[in-house]
Structure formats: C-alpha cells, structure tokens
C-alpha cells in the first residue's frame, strides 16, 4: 500500500472517529485523532493479522495502552474487516461490542483489554517475553499517551523490557503534549521522554507522528534493532485534522455536537 | 506429633511437578522467590521463570500479557503486595478480561509474624472475592495445597490462591484426599453447632471440635477451601441441621470467609452466626503463635464462640 493510499485510509478513520463520538455523545476524539496515522500504518502496512482469524496464534499483537483512543482502534478494525462497520455507530451504547475502552473479550481484533493507563504497556511486555520463551516470531506493538508516562507501572515495564532485551517489542508514544488537566508541562513534566527511555536501555527513535514515511521508517528500523526494545517518540497534534480541535485540551474527552460534527467532516473532505 | 509444613513449601514443590507435566506453565516472581518458594521452579526451568524485580504492578501486567498468548502464568509475591499494591491491575487486566492467570500469594495473614502489620495481608480474601470472574482458594495444609495447585492449573480463568509462611499441621491424608474447586469438605460430623473454617484455621477448628466434644458438644467442622465460588449447599445444609454457625479465618472478619458465609445464611436459612477472625484491626510484630492468641485466632476462641452461641439458643 502506498503513502497516498494510507493517507486516504487515515482520513476515512478520522471521519469515522468524528461520526462515532458524535453519535455516542461522549468519548475521546482528541487523542484518537492524534493516534490515527500511527494506527493506520500499523494495521494497513505493518502488522501480520488476519481478520478472518482474530485469535491466530502467530499474529502480531497490539495493545492500545492509551485505551481512551478506542474510537480510532475500532474504526481501524472495522475497516480491516474484523467486524461490520455499522457496529461503529453503537460505540458506548448498551449491549454494544464496542465499549468505551477496549474489551478483548467482546471485540474481535482487540488483543488486550485496556483503559486504565500503563497496563497495556505492561501486558505487551508479557506478550513479547512469551514470544521469546516459546520462540515465536510475532512482534508486539503498543501505543501510549504522553500523560500516561506519569503512571509508575510504565517505568516498571520499561525497566523490564530492557532487562529482558525484548527487541520484538515496539512501543510508540503519541506525544501530543496535552492531557486532561492541561499541557504535560503544567500538570507534571514528562520530558525529556527520549532521554528517559534511553537511560532505561531502550533504542529511541523520534519522528513526526503524522508523517507516513517517518512512521514506516521508524517501525522498519525497530525491527532491525537487536537486543533492545524500541520506543518511537512520535510528535503529534491532539485533534489532528480538525481545525477547531487541534491542540485544544478540551477536546480530550468531549464529543462533537451536530454542527461541530458537520464542520469537522467538511474539513476532512469527502461526502457528508 | 503431627507433621508441620508451610503451604508455601507445598506450593513450591507442586510448581516443579506442574512444570514437568505442562510446558505451558510460566512462573513469575517479584524478587521474593526464595520466600514464596518459586525459586525451585526457577532452578529447574530457568527459561520459564521470570523475575520482574520489585515491581508488583508489572508482575500482574506481564502475567496478563503472557496469558493472552495461551500460556499459563503463575504470579507470586507476598499477599499484601499482590492483592493490595497490584489490586487494580488484577481487576482490570486479569479479572475483567477473565485471563488465565494464577495469582499464588504467600505470607498471607497475621502469621507472617515478626515483619509486622505492614506485611500482614488481612483483607486479601475480601479484595479478591469482589472481583468478578475470580476464583479464590485458601488451602488448609500442604496436602490440600498440592491438590489445589494442580486443580487450578487445569481450569481456565483467573484464580487467587492464598498461601502462608508458617508451618502448619498436616490435617489431610495425602493418599485419600480429593480436591474439587467450590466443594467444601466435612471433616467432623456433629449436629449441635457448625464450625466453618478456611486456611490454617481449619486445624484450629478441628482442635476446637475436640475441646467441645469433651464438654458434650458435637460440632460439625467444614473446611471451605474455596471461598469463591462458595459451596452454598454444604453451608445451608449445616445451618438447617445444626442451627448455629461459627466461622474461623486468619483474616479480617470484614469481607472474608465470615462475610461470605453470612451472605449465604442470611439469604437462605438465617441462623445465629459468630465470626472468629481479626476484629478489624491491624496486627503487629510477634511470633505467629503469640499473634494468633492475642488476636483471637485459636481453637479456644472458636470453642468459646460456639459455646456462647449455643447458650443463647
């Protein structure tokens, strides 16, 4: 799949995120939009998965450690064919397979139940070390938010992954700089993120998290690195693609109203 | 003299047996393997033993991740850290997705002894049984521990196994003992009062029954090794036939065995109940036997509770 095709998919995913959260009346559009390009590359360019066999033993794994970006993951999984697209409009509603945060038992294609921050990262370390023990060649990916780095378990897991040389694990930080109560620097400084992971023994790559070429190249590089896990620190824009949401902290956990939805869809192009 | 073995020792041995039988068993520890007795497994199967360091939250997260790949992780540390510090990881990453993780925590209860209150888990049963999908097992001796560890390895889903540091009397017979998850065991027949006990208090309950027998009271003694799912049938039948129930646990009387039995009795066949256990207080340093006496966890305390109950009838 070429870059242009990936970008087209990413735009479709962003449109889905807007439509889903508007329909749900709640959810987290900001961090879903910032993670969209990364997730698009993972699922449409990189990961070895089979929508016809979601539990395939040798598949690559993904844990959405920033579980609140579930709308982005669900839109991706639907587009990959793990479940019908009409499910997306049932997000967060009663009896839906699409919970507010990922539920591995309810949603085909979800490899780990997440939502409580830091835990998906820890679980991804478990998936990766299991592959080492049992000599499996699948790779494990996990996506974290930057505010999430404030959780203690993240650094327990970071120490663990380096100690056990989990080079089959790639963590990606969706570094959009904002968390619920404001900019990271105002709430609790998380940086320098790259230096911290380097000090923990990780291979670190810094990229523009909205540049498809960058994302692809960094994942390729991570696969070549032996003896250490890789973290990709992806500079992103919260609310990316929707002008009035970009870099606005209030859009962390708020759904667009009808007029906002229409404006967002217009900006993202395509039919409304 | 009755032989005494700590349940943690029986756990360590059972793990090695399991490791030989099933190559999908992975054991994790958080820098306490020599105390939890997972060390022997690590020596025997170094490739399937993971020390996560002093990081109990990550212990549970990594165990969860391993279980998603179809393997069977046994995660061990002290009960206070497993169920306290890592509670929310257990709840969200293991309980909620119903993952096949066996949390086998040692050094439960007040008989941790000299380390004091900070290390004495007295609410672990309570915490674990409130997590949906979780099975909670509390073996009474080494024989039961071995059988329980083998049994829980064969069921799919999260299990909490509560183990102890202290060497306790072997009360079950290795040759004839049968363990069935969720099934209580009647160890002494009687119709005057029922004593329902778990863990090391089962041994105390049997002694209490002897003391009561000497005073002409026939006590039924039931070993509830599975707190959840609890054996309602055996409890209701005992309430009907004996009319009075005493529970005995090395745990806070809030939320543990006593509460679980009270729930069953109150909803099905209300009879007078007394809970022997730690009376909602922290422990302290001391020898295990001294602590059991000071905090009301002896056979005398159980017998006294039974007599009080009978006298009020």
């Amino acid at each position: 799949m070429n870059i242009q095709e990936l970008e087209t998919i990413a735009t479709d995913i962003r449109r889905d995120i807007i439509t889903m959260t508007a329909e749900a009346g709640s959810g987290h559009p900001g961090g879903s939009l910032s993670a969209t390009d990364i997730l698009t590359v993972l699922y449409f360019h990189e990961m070895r998965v089979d929508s016809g066999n979601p539990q395939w033993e040798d598949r690559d794994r993904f844990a959405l450690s920033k579980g609140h970006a579930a709308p982005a993951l669900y839109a991706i999984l639907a587009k990959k064919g793990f479940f019908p697209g009409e499910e997306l409009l049932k997000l967060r509603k009663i009896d839906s397979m699409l919970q507010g945060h990922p539920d591995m038992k309810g949603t085909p294609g979800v490899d780990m139940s997440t939502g409580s921050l830091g835990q998906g990262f820890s679980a991804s370390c478990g998936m990766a070390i299991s592959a080492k023990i049992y000599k499996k060649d699948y790779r494990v990916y996990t996506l974290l938010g930057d505010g999430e780095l404030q959780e203690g378990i993240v650094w327990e897991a970071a120490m663990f992954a380096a100690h056990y040389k989990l080079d089959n694990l790639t963590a990606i930080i969706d570094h959009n700089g904002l968390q619920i109560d404001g900019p990271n620097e105002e709430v609790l400084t998380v940086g320098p993120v790259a230096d911290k992971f380097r000090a923990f023994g990780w291979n670190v790559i810094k990229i523009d998290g909205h540049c498809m070429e960058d994302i692809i190249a960094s994942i390729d590089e991570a696969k070549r690195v032996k003896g250490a896990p890789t973290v990709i620190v992806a500079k992103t824009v919260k609310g990316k693609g929707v002008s009035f949401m970009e870099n606005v902290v209030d859009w962390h956990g708020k759904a667009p109203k009808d007029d906002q939805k229409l404006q967002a869809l217009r900006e993202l192009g395509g039919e409304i | 003299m009755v032989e005494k073995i700590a349940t943690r020792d029986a756990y360590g041995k059972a793990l090695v047996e399991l490791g030989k039988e099933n190559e999908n068993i992975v054991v994790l520890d958080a820098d306490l393997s020599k105390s939890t007795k997972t060390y022997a497994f690590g020596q025997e199967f170094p490739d399937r033993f993971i020390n996560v360091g002093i990081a109990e939250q990550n212990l549970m997260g990594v165990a969860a991740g391993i279980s998603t790949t179809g393997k069977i992780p046994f995660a061990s540390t002290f009960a206070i850290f497993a169920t306290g510090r890592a509670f929310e990881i257990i709840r969200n990453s293991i309980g909620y997705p119903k993952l096949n993780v066996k949390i086998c925590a040692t050094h439960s209860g007040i008989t941790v002894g000299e380390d004091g209150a900070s290390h004495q888990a007295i609410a672990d049963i309570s915490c674990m049984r409130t997590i949906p999908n979780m099975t909670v097992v509390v073996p009474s001796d080494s024989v039961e521990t071995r059988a329980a560890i083998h049994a829980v390895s064969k069921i799919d889903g999260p299990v909490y196994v509560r183990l102890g540091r202290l060497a306790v009397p072997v009360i079950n017979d290795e040759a004839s003992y049968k363990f069935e998850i969720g099934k209580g065991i009647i160890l002494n027949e009687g119709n005057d009062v029922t004593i329902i006990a778990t863990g090391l208090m089962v041994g105390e309950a049997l002694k209490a029954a002897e003391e009561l027998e000497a005073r002409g009271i026939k006590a039924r003694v039931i070993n509830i090794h599975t707190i959840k799912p609890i054996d309602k049938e055996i409890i209701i039948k005992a309430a009907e036939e004996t009319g009075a129930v005493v529970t005995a646990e090395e745990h806070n009387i809030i939320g543990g065995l006593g509460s679980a039995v009270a729930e069953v009795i109150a909803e099905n066949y209300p009879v007078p109940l007394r809970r022997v256990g730690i009376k909602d207080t922290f422990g302290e340093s001391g020898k295990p036997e001294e602590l059991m006496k000071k905090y009301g966890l002896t056979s005398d305390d159980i017998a006294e509770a039974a007599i009080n109950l009978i006298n009020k009838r």
Side-chain angles (χ1 to χ4, degrees):
Chain A
M1 196 170 281
N2 65 36
I3 300 293
Q4 201 184 348
E5 287 168 322
L6 288 170
E7 283 172 347
T8 303
I9 289 172
T11 300
D12 288 348
I13 299 302
R14 286 194 163 90
R15 291 171 56 83
D16 285 343
I17 291 166
I18 296 298
T19 309
M20 292 162 75
T21 51
E23 175 66 24
S26 69
H28 298 83
S32 296
L33 293 167
S34 67
T36 297
D37 298 309
I38 296 160
L39 287 173
T40 300
V41 171
L42 279 176
Y43 276 89
F44 287 89
H45 177 80
E46 182 55 42
M47 282 172 56
R48 188 171 74 190
V49 292
D50 178 1
S51 60
N53 184 11
Q55 295 299 316
W56 177 30
E57 202 183 338
D58 294 323
R59 72 189 184 282
D60 289 340
R61 265 78 172 175
F62 175 71
L64 183 65
S65 203
K66 50 170 291 184
H68 54 281
L73 178 61
Y74 296 158
I76 294 260
L77 292 175
K79 206 169 185 64
K80 283 291 281 188
F82 281 92
F83 51 83
E86 53 261 34
E87 292 292 331
L88 296 178
L89 293 178
K90 298 181 197 160
L91 170 70
R92 289 177 166 254
K93 293 186 178 173
I94 193 83
D95 295 331
S96 169
M97 72 155 71
L98 301 182
Q99 295 296 296
H101 293 84
D103 168 16
M104 64 186 290
K105 291 286 150 134
T107 312
V110 170
D111 290 324
M112 185 64 207
S113 296
T114 53
S116 178
L117 297 175
Q119 297 185 27
F121 182 38
S122 179
S124 72
C125 292
M127 298 172 189
I129 200 165
S130 181
K132 291 284 181 191
I133 294 170
Y134 293 96
K135 303 192 171 32
K136 293 281 189 179
D137 71 349
Y138 64 77
R139 293 190 62 80
V140 182
Y141 296 92
T142 183
L143 182 71
L144 295 87
D146 46 14
E148 184 174 4
L149 302 179
Q150 292 157 357
E151 289 281 7
I153 191 175
V154 168
W155 302 102
E156 292 183 3
M159 209 182 291
F160 176 87
H163 178 86
Y164 285 101
K165 300 182 170 54
L166 302 181
D167 51 19
N168 53 351
L169 172 68
T170 303
I172 305 167
I173 313 289
D174 180 4
H175 197 358
N176 60 38
L178 297 176
Q179 57 191 103
I180 299 177
D181 276 352
N184 301 148
E185 289 72 27
E186 286 179 20
V187 178
L188 189 77
T189 303
V190 296
V193 173
D195 289 346
K196 279 179 176 149
F197 274 95
R198 249 180 235 117
F200 272 71
W202 286 59
N203 175 52
V204 181
I205 309 171
K206 290 167 84 166
I207 62 161
D208 172 350
H210 300 304
C211 171
M212 296 297 186
E213 290 92 339
D214 262 25
I215 302 169
I216 292 169
S218 62
I219 291 171
D220 283 345
E221 184 189 325
K223 286 160 77 177
R224 288 192 298 269
V225 172
K226 297 296 167 206
T230 291
V231 61
I232 298 168
V233 182
K235 183 79 196 74
T236 56
V237 174
K238 199 153 188 164
K240 175 72 177 177
V242 178
S243 64
F244 60 91
M245 289 185 178
E246 287 193 358
N247 288 316
V248 177
V249 74
D250 275 357
W251 286 102
H252 172 89
K254 188 175 74 171
K257 299 199 175 358
D258 273 351
D259 55 329
Q260 293 166 325
K261 176 182 88 170
L262 293 174
Q263 188 190 335
L265 291 177
R266 265 194 297 275
E267 287 185 18
L268 288 165
E271 289 175 29
I272 291 169
Chain B
M1 187 72 188
V2 184
E3 190 186 9
K4 287 187 175 182
I5 302 171
T7 53
R8 61 173 167 154
D9 284 311
Y11 168 57
K13 284 185 182 152
L15 272 185
V16 174
E17 293 171 357
L18 272 185
K20 287 175 186 160
E21 279 173 22
N22 187 345
E23 65 169 22
N24 286 330
I25 305 281
V26 180
V27 175
L28 301 95
D29 206 298
D31 193 42
L32 288 169
S33 66
K34 287 173 187 162
S35 298
T36 62
K37 304 297 175 184
T38 62
Y39 182 78
F41 184 97
Q43 292 298 106
E44 193 89 14
F45 310 103
D47 295 346
R48 289 190 273 140
F49 178 77
I50 302 166
N51 202 327
V52 305
I54 309 166
E56 295 80 12
Q57 299 179 48
N58 194 47
L59 169 72
M60 298 307 169
V62 168
I66 291 172
S67 77
T68 69
T69 67
K71 308 305 173 188
I72 308 169
F74 278 68
S76 286
T77 179
F78 290 179
I80 189 78
F81 310 128
T83 66
R85 195 179 196 112
F87 173 81
E88 199 251 344
I89 291 90
I90 295 175
R91 182 210 186 263
N92 276 324
S93 287
I94 296 173
Y96 175 40
K98 204 178 179 184
L99 291 177
N100 197 21
V101 177
K102 314 306 170 190
I103 300 157
C104 298
T106 65
H107 295 62
S108 63
I110 205 162
T111 55
V112 164
E114 291 82 349
D115 275 354
S118 63
H119 283 54
Q120 294 163 350
I122 56 170
D124 54 321
I125 296 174
S126 176
C127 293
M128 290 297 104
R129 85 181 181 95
T130 57
I131 298 175
N133 296 330
M134 186 67 73
T135 295
V136 178
V137 175
V138 185
S140 58
D141 73 352
S142 60
V143 170
E144 193 160 77
T145 300
R146 176 170 180 250
I149 294 301
H150 281 270
V152 302
S153 76
K154 290 172 181 70
I155 61 165
D156 186 27
V159 181
Y160 176 67
V161 183
R162 183 186 212 231
L163 302 162
R165 169 177 181 266
L166 181 69
V168 293
V170 179
I171 56 171
N172 295 294
D173 174 47
E174 181 83 55
S176 64
Y177 183 79
K178 293 269 185 297
F179 179 88
E180 196 180 338
I181 291 169
K183 288 285 174 209
I185 301 168
I186 296 176
L187 294 175
N188 195 60
E189 294 290 354
N191 283 329
D192 296 332
V193 61
T194 299
I195 304 168
I196 300 178
T198 196
L200 60 78
M201 292 302 281
V202 177
E204 295 299 319
L206 288 170
K207 276 194 268 174
E210 283 175 25
E211 291 169 31
L212 291 168
E213 174 92 45
R215 304 176 68 156
I217 299 167
K218 290 209 170 285
R220 182 177 305 185
V221 176
I222 301 174
N223 170 14
I224 292 288
H225 52 62
T226 308
I227 309 286
K228 184 184 170 185
I230 200 158
D231 188 344
K232 288 185 187 172
E233 202 180 319
I234 205 169
I235 294 169
I236 295 167
K237 191 161 183 280
E240 285 171 0
E241 292 175 2
T242 70
V245 174
V246 175
T247 60
E249 63 196 306
E250 187 206 2
H251 186 274
N252 197 336
I253 53 169
I254 297 177
L257 172 76
S259 295
V261 169
E263 290 156 16
V264 173
I265 290 177
E267 287 189 349
N268 295 282
Y269 197 90
V271 296
L273 171 83
R274 289 290 178 277
R275 293 167 297 158
V276 171
I278 299 162
K279 292 166 190 66
D280 197 26
T281 180
F282 288 102
E284 64 183 85
S285 292
K287 293 198 175 79
E289 295 78 7
E290 292 169 340
L291 291 165
M292 285 181 70
K293 195 164 183 201
K294 180 164 177 178
Y295 289 84
L297 303 173
T298 65
S299 55
D300 289 347
D301 296 295
I302 298 170
E304 191 186 321
I307 290 165
N308 285 343
L309 213 47
I310 289 167
N311 287 345
K312 281 191 179 161
R313 198 152 47 187

